[in-house]
């Protein structure tokens, strides 16, 4: 991989240990994937935030950078943290302070594009949250690989990333055409579809025909679910996403998705309400439109929920919900908007036995943790819950 003179000096340690260590990570990654050079990035989004995920070894990794004086050189935002008991939270706060010391914005959200970190079409990024990667690539037309936490941090410090994968135009073409013959209309249908296709296609780039999403939130959920059950970081929707006109090449494989395949996912996550002790909306973090919908459904329901409702969202969306009166309505009916956190990366299996959600991504991870799961549309979760 070609390095400029300055990059060679960084790698040799002439600019300090922190930059050298970050450059070593990027060069190793570039050599593994055959990158020709490093390219500048506009922003980074760093995962590997929850103490549940990174543990003490992750804290030591971050402290090593901080002690060496590491600072990010591009605008960098942070994924949600975990929540737990006091011992857990003490460690979690330490993680956040280490990131803060490197100049990273403690946004603590998986949806930075809702205001904190909004890239434009064609921007090169180093993002490491799978659902955000999918959103940036597919819906915004920015360019990022699915980075790991260490590589996105290294890129943020150096301000560059290896030029391979989805940074290259030729690698952003569709690899399979998906013809939608199923009824895909509601939010949860996109969860079912994404869950099924992630498992089926693994790391392909699907091109969707016959998909007409009513809201961007539906595409957000489609991408999040495909990224959870597979490794899909980019997809195209005919007539909807910004690169669909140039995405198709000749002789692509075609597959069809009908109602039967989506019903199989629904049947897999159909726990009885008697097994459910919490409802979760907001995986990925909820938009203000999603929160508004929940508030309106609760008013339609007219009586408090017997089990708690949690909506996870970014702090900026929570402030907006407060100002618009949605938070008050939600709390009146036994709901709560939780900011800065993600229940997937929290020790939730020690608190609850079953969870109801509209998210295919959440369903996948919670079932993997041993919880009973009910996956259904938002209106049914609110109106049919005990």
């Amino acid at each position: 991989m070609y390095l400029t003179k300055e990059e060679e000096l960084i790698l040799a340690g002439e600019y300090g240990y922190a930059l050298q260590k970050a450059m070593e990570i990027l060069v190793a990654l570039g050599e593994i994937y055959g990158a020709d050079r490093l390219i500048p990035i506009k922003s980074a989004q760093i995962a590997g935030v929850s103490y549940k995920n990174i543990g003490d070894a992750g804290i030591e990794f971050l402290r090593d950078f901080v002690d060496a004086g590491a600072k990010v050189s591009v605008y960098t935002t942070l994924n949600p943290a975990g929540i737990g008991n006091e011992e857990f939270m003490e460690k979690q706060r330490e993680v956040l302070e280490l990131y803060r010391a490197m100049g990273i914005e403690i946004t603590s959200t998986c949806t930075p594009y809702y205001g904190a970190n909004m890239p434009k079409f064609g921007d090169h990024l180093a993002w490491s949250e799978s659902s955000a990667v999918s959103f940036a690539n597919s819906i915004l037309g920015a360019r990022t690989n699915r980075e790991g936490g260490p590589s996105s941090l290294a890129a943020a410090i150096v301000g560059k990333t290896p030029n391979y994968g989805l940074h290259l135009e030729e690698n952003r073409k569709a690899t399979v055409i998906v013809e939608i013959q199923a009824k895909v209309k509601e939010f949860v249908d996109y969860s079912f579809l994404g869950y099924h296709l992630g498992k089926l296609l693994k790391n392909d780039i699907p091109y969707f025909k016959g998909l007409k999403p009513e809201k961007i939130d539906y595409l957000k959920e489609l991408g999040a679910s495909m990224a959870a059950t597979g490794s899909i970081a980019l997809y195209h929707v005919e007539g909807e996403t910004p690169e669909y006109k140039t995405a198709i090449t000749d002789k692509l494989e075609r597959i069809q998705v009908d109602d039967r395949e989506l019903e199989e996912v629904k049947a897999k996550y159909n726990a009885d309400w008697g097994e459910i002790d919490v409802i979760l909306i907001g995986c990925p973090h909820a938009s203000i439109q999603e929160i508004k919908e929940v508030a309106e459904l609760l008013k339609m329901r007219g009586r408090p929920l017997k089990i708690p409702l949690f909506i996870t969202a970014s702090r900026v969306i929570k402030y907006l919900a407060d100002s618009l009166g949605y938070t008050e309505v939600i709390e009146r009916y036994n709901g709560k908007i939780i900011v800065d956190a993600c229940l997937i990366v929290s020790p939730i299996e020690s608190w609850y036995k079953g969870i109801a959600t509209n998210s295919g991504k959440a369903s996948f991870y919670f079932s993997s943790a041993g919880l009973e799961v009910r996956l259904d549309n938002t209106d049914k979760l609110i109106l049919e819950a005990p």
Side-chain angles (χ1 to χ4, degrees):
M1 184 173 70
Y2 170 77
L3 296 179
T4 66
K5 185 63 176 178
E6 182 182 45
E7 290 163 356
E8 288 178 346
L9 291 173
I10 292 173
L11 187 60
E14 294 296 321
Y15 290 83
Y17 173 71
L19 272 169
Q20 180 186 26
K21 183 177 179 180
M23 182 63 80
E24 286 174 351
I25 293 172
L26 298 180
V27 169
L29 193 65
E31 290 178 347
I32 289 170
Y33 289 104
D36 60 343
R37 59 193 171 94
L38 297 175
I39 55 173
I41 59 170
K42 292 293 182 67
S43 71
Q45 165 77 7
I46 296 177
V49 179
S50 172
Y51 176 65
K52 178 183 177 181
N53 288 354
I54 69 171
D56 291 330
I59 289 177
E60 290 305 313
F61 175 83
L62 296 175
R63 185 180 291 118
D64 194 26
F65 269 115
V66 171
D67 289 347
K71 296 288 183 181
V72 296
S73 60
V74 296
Y75 188 70
T76 304
T77 49
L78 200 64
N79 239 34
I83 51 177
N85 60 26
E86 185 52 41
E87 181 182 357
F88 180 97
M89 293 308 297
E90 183 177 349
K91 293 285 190 177
Q92 186 63 80
R93 285 189 288 269
E94 183 177 1
V95 172
L96 296 177
E97 288 309 310
L98 288 168
Y99 279 121
R100 192 191 308 276
M102 288 185 276
I104 295 165
E105 296 279 9
I106 310 302
T107 49
S108 297
T109 181
C110 52
T111 56
Y113 42 80
Y114 285 153
N117 190 352
M118 170 63 99
K120 65 181 186 299
F121 183 89
D123 281 351
H124 291 279
L125 319 170
W127 284 20
S128 60
E129 150 58 30
S130 64
S131 69
V133 165
S134 176
F135 194 100
N137 277 321
S138 309
I139 298 172
L140 302 178
R143 279 113 172 91
T144 179
N145 290 315
R146 183 168 166 166
E147 301 283 357
S151 65
S152 61
L153 177 59
I157 292 169
V158 174
K160 298 180 180 182
T161 195
N163 187 39
Y164 74 95
L166 295 178
H167 292 285
L168 303 174
E169 190 67 33
E170 60 267 26
N171 292 335
R172 298 179 66 81
K173 307 295 184 184
T175 59
V176 59
I177 294 175
V178 182
E179 297 175 345
I180 302 300
Q181 299 174 348
K183 180 183 177 183
V184 180
K185 185 177 180 181
E186 298 181 317
F187 185 98
V188 76
D189 297 328
Y190 287 81
S191 289
F192 295 148
L193 179 62
Y195 187 101
H196 167 69
L197 288 175
K199 282 187 169 291
L200 178 66
L201 299 178
K202 308 300 183 187
N203 61 352
D204 269 309
I205 300 177
Y207 181 100
F208 290 96
K209 285 179 172 286
L211 205 57
K212 298 296 179 184
E214 293 181 8
K215 302 175 183 178
I216 290 294
D217 287 325
Y218 294 3
L219 291 181
K220 177 185 75 170
E221 186 56 41
L222 172 66
S225 297
M226 290 193 295
T229 61
S231 299
I232 295 173
L234 168 64
Y235 62 90
H236 305 284
V237 180
E238 190 170 66
E240 301 288 338
T241 53
E243 296 174 82
Y244 83 91
K245 290 183 179 179
T246 59
I248 292 185
T249 56
D250 294 335
K251 299 179 181 178
L252 287 181
E253 175 190 4
R254 289 175 179 258
I255 64 171
Q256 291 81 39
V257 178
D258 58 30
D259 289 319
R260 175 182 54 83
E261 287 141 331
L262 303 192
E263 285 294 329
E264 288 176 357
V265 181
K266 183 175 182 178
K268 180 180 177 67
Y269 296 116
N270 195 29
D272 185 84
W273 277 110
E275 300 176 286
I276 303 301
D277 40 24
V278 65
I279 302 169
L280 171 68
I281 303 292
C283 181
H285 277 177
S287 67
I288 191 61
Q289 291 88 354
E290 290 176 272
I291 290 176
K292 177 184 178 181
E293 179 186 8
V294 171
E296 290 176 344
L297 286 167
L298 286 168
K299 287 193 289 186
M300 186 185 303
R301 174 188 170 95
R303 65 187 191 283
L305 295 156
K306 291 184 179 179
I307 57 176
L309 162 68
F310 295 143
I311 304 172
T312 48
S314 66
R315 189 170 292 272
V316 67
I317 295 297
K318 169 64 161 55
Y319 287 154
L320 189 54
D322 291 350
S323 66
L324 293 172
Y326 303 145
T327 303
E328 187 276 329
V329 172
I330 289 165
E331 291 179 349
R332 189 193 317 157
Y333 291 98
N334 196 24
K336 183 177 182 180
I337 301 176
I338 300 175
V339 299
D340 299 342
C342 171
L343 296 189
I344 285 176
V345 296
S346 303
I348 188 173
E349 63 274 9
S350 64
W351 312 335
Y352 303 111
K353 64 179 181 180
I355 190 162
T357 182
N358 61 359
S359 166
K361 175 180 179 177
S363 297
F364 174 74
Y365 286 114
F366 288 138
S367 64
S368 299
L371 277 73
E372 297 296 326
V373 176
R374 184 180 185 88
L375 176 57
D376 213 335
N377 205 50
T378 312
D379 59 344
K380 292 185 178 178
L381 294 179
I382 302 301
L383 298 179
E384 295 180 4

